[in-house]
Amino acid sequence: MTNHSSPPPRKALWGVLAQRDFRLLWLSNAVTGLAKGVTGVVLPLIALLNLSASPFEVGLLAAAVWLPWLVIGLPAGAWVDSKSRRPIMIACHAISAVLFASIPVAWWLDILTYGHLLVVALLTGTTTVLFQTAYNVYLPTVLPKEDLIEGNAKLQGAEAATRIAGPALGGGLVTALGAATGLLIEVLSCLFCLVCILLIRSREPARAKQVSKEPFTRQIAIGLRFVVKDPYLRPIITYGAVVNLGLTGYTTIQIVFLVQSVGVDASVVGALVAVAGLGGILGSLIARPLGRRFGTARSVVVCQLATGPFVLVSPLTTPGAGLIFYCVGTCMLIAGIVSCNVVLGSFRQAYCPPVLLGRVVATSMFVLHSTIPVGALLAGVLGDTVGPRATMWIMAALIAPCGLILLLSPMRRRRDLPSEPASAPHPVHAAG
């Protein structure tokens, strides 16, 4: 008699994607990745090709996107902790759509200026601060703790995959339609993601009333103190801040480097960035298996030590076959960083007390992003003074040894990252 096993449940086949609300969040994240990949190539090309911007001006444009983290990063966490996150996310997408649409409109009317690009970069950077803070706090509403690593891996994997297509699409749009028109992809992306979030049914838990009664500055201070005193969050954020300094400088100068120093045609730049972006998919795929096999703490440390030094081959890039140096160096660098982000982002969401999560996320991102505008400006200044290739060497040398920061932290003595702090927050800071 033959035994017919029942088909595997949908959850086993699809994992967290079997959940409708997470599927909507995942889909919006994938489309966002596509648009960001396009914008990351198109925006600097608008400045370079249409407005004859210098390397410093390209760096300033990249810095403007991240500058709002320094201005409103900390208050954003306290504000998000006191509000419903879903409406914030919807509003951010709507505002960003209008802002990005203004660039092709201004170009068609022949009134586009570099100042216009800067203003749009600053304002969309502001919406990104609020969206990212709300998004990171909202995810545990859609997924339980035990699914956060899988969920973050799928989110980052989808974004990484679409970012591969994004730069290539961006380069093609620049060639076919012009740089400014390419930003319409970003506009459509914002509107699509807005609809996806509107369709999500998950409702957020009630927030602690004690939080909203405390002075705003004290709410900020509580989140800041929690991060600074925690033995795991502190080195993780220090590592991220240093990596972001070098990585932003690297990505800011890479377009200028490929076009001016290597001599790559603008239509090919997007394809190169896309190929290098394969590392994002690789990183999202290896994060969970490595964490299960070797432990979340151990795998993060070893992965960073192993992948970081590959970035040192990127400045060796030359025309023709020498382009492989850029692809390999950038691919391995991104693989390590994305793998790290999957594990450490999930760790933060599960580890932090829910009542503090918005402030902890905002404090973490404030520190992590504080070095990004510095890296962008530094790359612009160095690009003007010592040249794009020398700037690539400087940024690569800064990134390569960053894994040592994690090696010197308490993570080196653990197999897995802890699931909760050693001591709970003071009662006045928590719910009830």
Side-chain angles (χ1 to χ4, degrees):
M1 185 174 180
T2 305
N3 290 325
H4 297 284
S5 58
S6 59
R10 193 174 180 218
K11 167 71 175 172
L13 288 172
W14 290 89
V16 291
L17 285 174
Q19 302 180 36
R20 175 187 178 276
D21 285 351
F22 177 77
R23 197 160 59 246
L24 286 167
L25 203 60
W26 176 85
L27 187 59
S28 70
N29 204 59
V31 172
T32 297
L34 178 69
K36 295 300 181 188
V38 171
T39 305
V41 171
V42 170
L43 203 59
L45 284 177
I46 293 173
L48 274 173
L49 303 179
N50 297 124
L51 302 175
S52 302
S54 67
F56 174 75
E57 288 175 320
V58 173
L60 183 62
L61 188 63
V65 175
W66 301 101
L67 185 61
W69 284 102
L70 299 180
V71 180
I72 66 166
L74 289 176
W79 186 69
V80 165
D81 268 341
S82 67
K83 305 291 181 183
S84 295
R85 290 83 192 220
R86 186 164 163 266
I88 294 173
M89 296 160 68
I90 292 168
C92 287
H93 276 312
I95 294 168
S96 294
V98 173
L99 290 169
F100 280 119
S102 72
I103 293 177
V105 170
W107 175 251
W108 296 332
L109 296 175
D110 199 25
I111 57 174
L112 182 63
T113 64
Y114 177 76
H116 187 150
L117 291 185
L118 274 180
V119 170
V120 170
L122 281 168
L123 294 179
T124 55
T126 301
T127 62
T128 298
V129 172
L130 299 175
F131 178 85
Q132 288 294 333
T133 303
Y135 173 85
N136 276 277
V137 181
Y138 186 70
L139 183 59
T141 300
V142 177
L143 290 178
K145 271 189 178 185
E146 61 270 18
D147 287 336
L148 284 175
I149 288 184
E150 181 188 352
N152 277 300
K154 282 185 165 57
L155 287 168
Q156 297 220 21
E159 185 176 351
T162 51
R163 282 203 182 206
I164 291 174
L169 178 59
L173 288 172
V174 169
T175 302
L177 303 174
T181 306
L183 281 183
L184 289 177
I185 294 293
E186 183 74 66
V187 177
L188 295 174
S189 159
C190 291
L191 295 176
F192 178 86
C193 295
L194 185 155
V195 172
C196 285
I197 295 171
L198 278 171
L199 293 174
I200 292 176
R201 297 170 183 164
S202 296
R203 292 294 173 258
E204 301 170 53
R207 292 172 301 282
K209 294 181 180 179
Q210 289 88 337
V211 173
S212 58
K213 290 180 181 178
E214 291 182 342
F216 204 60
T217 53
R218 178 164 172 75
Q219 294 181 45
I220 295 171
I222 291 168
L224 186 60
R225 185 163 57 247
F226 183 84
V227 170
V228 169
K229 289 186 176 181
D230 190 86
Y232 294 95
L233 292 175
R234 187 175 60 249
I236 286 170
I237 292 171
T238 301
Y239 158 80
V242 178
V243 166
N244 280 346
L245 175 65
L247 182 62
T248 305
Y250 180 95
T251 55
T252 297
I253 204 66
Q254 68 179 355
I255 302 294
V256 182
F257 168 68
L258 290 171
V259 172
Q260 295 184 358
S261 298
V262 183
V264 176
D265 187 81
S267 61
V268 180
V269 168
L272 283 175
V273 175
V275 171
L278 285 169
I281 296 179
L282 176 62
S284 67
L285 290 175
I286 65 175
R288 283 187 72 213
L290 288 178
R292 286 197 304 264
R293 177 66 179 84
F294 302 106
T296 51
R298 194 177 299 161
S299 64
V300 164
V301 174
V302 173
C303 191
Q304 299 316 298
L305 292 173
T307 59
F310 275 92
V311 72
L312 293 170
V313 307
S314 294
L316 298 173
T317 304
T318 56
L323 294 175
I324 192 68
F325 290 118
Y326 168 79
C327 294
V328 171
T330 308
C331 183
M332 294 302 293
L333 170 66
I334 294 175
I337 291 174
V338 169
S339 174
C340 182
N341 287 344
V342 168
V343 175
L344 297 183
S346 305
F347 161 68
R348 183 177 58 202
Q349 289 163 342
Y351 177 79
C352 298
V355 72
L356 293 177
L357 184 55
R359 282 165 285 176
V360 170
V361 166
T363 299
S364 302
M365 290 190 168
F366 170 78
V367 178
L368 290 171
H369 293 91
S370 65
T371 57
I372 289 179
V374 177
L377 287 173
L378 180 60
V381 171
L382 290 173
D384 273 343
T385 54
V386 299
R389 190 178 296 273
T391 304
M392 287 283 284
W393 275 114
I394 292 169
M395 296 305 166
L398 179 62
I399 297 168
C402 283
L404 295 174
I405 297 173
L406 298 177
L407 181 64
L408 297 174
S409 76
M411 291 172 65
R412 73 180 184 275
R413 296 189 292 268
R414 296 187 64 105
R415 183 185 188 276
D416 289 293
L417 290 161
S419 58
E420 59 184 23
S423 57
H426 193 278
V428 74
H429 306 154

